[in-house]
Amino acid sequence: MSTRVGFIGIGNMGWPMAANIAKAGHDLAVYDLAVFDLNQDRVARFAAEHKSRAAASVGELAQNDFVITMLPTSQHVREALLSDESGAFAKSLRPGAIVIDMSSSDPVATRQLGPELARRGAILLDAPVSGAVPRAITGKLAIMIGGDDKSAIARAKPLLASMGDRLFETGPLGSGHAMKALNNYIAAAGYTAVVEALMIGEKFGLDQSVMVDVLNASTGRNFTTENMIKQQILSGQFATGFALGLMAKDVKIAADLGEAVRLDAPMSRLIRERWAAARERLGAARDTSEAMLAWRDSLPD
Ligand code: NAD
């Protein structure tokens, strides 16, 4: 069934996700701040390449049945929905509209945003994704759905199924965002452990490529050993399409959540600190796979 969908944030992930919504035959309008950048008018380019309309303002999207956000952080989501263009989006929201935040946002901020949108007649769901750009392109993302309105979740599922083939209901509003941050904390911790081991091994005289082969045939294998070391790091490609600053944001959300629920989770604090240091040293725009370049210091003799 075709539904009217507004999509905000045609970035690395948003572009292929919105492309799959268009391909599924929904009536799609897209918007991105890059619309104001004449040199890289992503929105116009997207609309030309996919069956959809380019919206010139965020307010234009408020009358859709569904509005999806795929933006860097909770703060960007909040601004787009409540304050950009003097709050044009919130002011003209269609009653009963379902807003789905698919960004990797902060679950605490999501729980605050829900009632604010509800006062304007809209229902907020969180539905962050995992699988990165390759699985966004193939429409095979894992999607973690949180929300307090079961019937809104049921209505959103066919739309979400155009972007992902593994849909999980994680619980109340914000639970999807909590799950996503915890997943990325584990992925970042795995990366951190693997690159430390490779750097120690190299200094001792081991060949890093051989190390990866051994790890992938052994109990130390993980997403980083299987998909990142040879493909992105040893090849010098460093092009996962996932910015280092976004990963640093995710591990901070996870560690902060540990503190919010008052659990002593020292490893999450260390990983938050390591990734914040990498972002500081290299810059937020560098690729996630490059974080190790910030951590090559030797201890003094
Ligand atoms: P990105 O930086 O490539 O895209 C974000 C887009 O949002 C940009 O095009 C930017 O112009 C736009 N934008 C920012 N503020 C805006 C506003 N107020 N209104 C309209 N558009 C605005 O980021 P991405 O890699 O696509 O990631 C998006 C979200 O998905 C992040 O929360 C990230 O953590 C998460 N995520 C990324 C990946 C990945 O592999 N890249 C995987 C899973 C989840």
Side-chain angles (χ1 to χ4, degrees), residues 196 199-200 202-204 274 281 292-301:
E196 274 190 11
M199 291 189 289
I200 295 169
E202 187 184 40
K203 283 210 167 201
F204 191 72
R274 295 297 276 164
R281 234 181 226 200
M292 64 168 310
L293 302 176
W295 302 330
R296 292 190 295 192
D297 300 331
S298 294
L299 290 174
D301 291 327

Side-chain angles (χ1 to χ4, degrees), residues 8-15 17 31-35 42 58 69-77 79-81 84 102-105 128-134 141 180 184 240-243 246-247 249-250 288:
I8 309 172
I10 309 292
N12 285 336
M13 291 294 286
W15 182 293
M17 288 163 66
Y31 172 74
D32 191 291
L33 272 189
V35 75
R42 289 175 69 79
V58 73
T69 46
M70 193 55 177
L71 301 172
T73 68
S74 289
Q75 191 55 35
H76 293 89
V77 173
E79 282 167 13
L81 301 181
D84 283 356
M102 302 192 74
S103 329
S104 304
S105 297
V129 305
S130 187
V133 174
L141 291 167
K180 170 63 189 174
N184 277 25
T240 63
F242 183 34
L246 293 177
M247 183 62 116
K249 173 240 342 175
D250 292 340
T288 301

